[in-house]
Every structure is written in structure tokens, then in C-alpha cells.
Amino acid sequence: IYDEECTFADPFVAFDGRDRFIDNLANLGSFITDYDARMIKYDVEKDGMEIVTKVMVKLELNLPWKPVLAWPWGVLYAIDPETFLVTDHIESWDIEPLEGVKQIFR
């Protein structure tokens, strides 16, 4: 569903390339020991060329004290009208990035 040169962005970093995104997800696999996700919002906009989602995400990290990161996580997907592939995957959080990082140390 992703264009090979899709742009991926979150509050910390942005990069281009589907393969790099796949590698990043694979690296997270051993760092997340449990998760839960609940859809809050799913909107189709701009004649179907943008999908806007919001999910309540809870992630337990593989650290000795088992911190849980939890906050609403949004993703805007921009779709190419010719290929119907996602060209932009832009994540947003409903908290400031530093507050998200602080959850690790609770």
C-alpha cells in the first residue's frame, strides 16, 4: 500500500523510503512486549485522497520496570490519485514528544 519513496514522519524524525520503514518496524519488535490499540477516528477526506486516523495506543516496553507508553496517536495518509499508493505517512501525538519520552521513566 506504500509507495517505494513514501515519506514517513513522526514528532521526532522524518525520512523517505518504504524499506527503511519496514526495517524500523522490525527493529521495534523485540522492544515492545505488549500492546493495545483502539480506533478513535477514521475519516476519508479530499475525495478519498487522504485518510486521517486516530488510535489510542498503549505499548509496554521491554525494560526491567516494564514502562507503558499510552496516548492518542494520529496518522495522516496521503494517497497518490494515479497509483492509489500512500505517498505520505505523517504521525502526530496528542502529547508533546518530551512528555511521551518521560513515560518511559515512570
Side-chain angles (χ1 to χ4, degrees), residues 21-74:
F21 182 68
I22 291 168
D23 290 345
N24 287 353
L25 289 178
N27 290 335
L28 285 175
S30 63
F31 193 59
I32 297 171
T33 55
D34 195 17
Y35 70 92
D36 184 57
R38 182 176 49 87
M39 184 68 69
I40 299 170
K41 172 182 169 180
Y42 181 95
D43 291 331
V44 178
E45 300 179 356
K46 295 188 179 178
D47 293 327
M49 295 299 103
E50 278 190 2
I51 308 297
V52 179
T53 65
K54 187 159 295 200
V55 178
M56 182 62 198
V57 176
K58 294 181 184 178
L59 307 173
E60 181 183 89
L61 303 184
N62 190 15
L63 295 169
W65 61 97
K66 300 292 185 197
V68 174
L69 308 181
W71 58 76
W73 198 309

Side-chain angles (χ1 to χ4, degrees), residues 73-90:
W73 198 309
V75 181
L76 182 146
Y77 302 93
I79 300 169
D80 182 294
E82 293 180 15
T83 65
F84 297 103
L85 295 174
V86 175
T87 57
D88 294 290
H89 171 120
I90 311 301

Side-chain angles (χ1 to χ4, degrees), residues 84-102:
F84 297 103
L85 295 174
V86 175
T87 57
D88 294 290
H89 171 120
I90 311 301
E91 298 180 9
S92 60
W93 301 347
D94 281 10
I95 63 171
E96 292 297 317
L98 180 59
E99 292 303 312
V101 171
K102 285 180 180 179

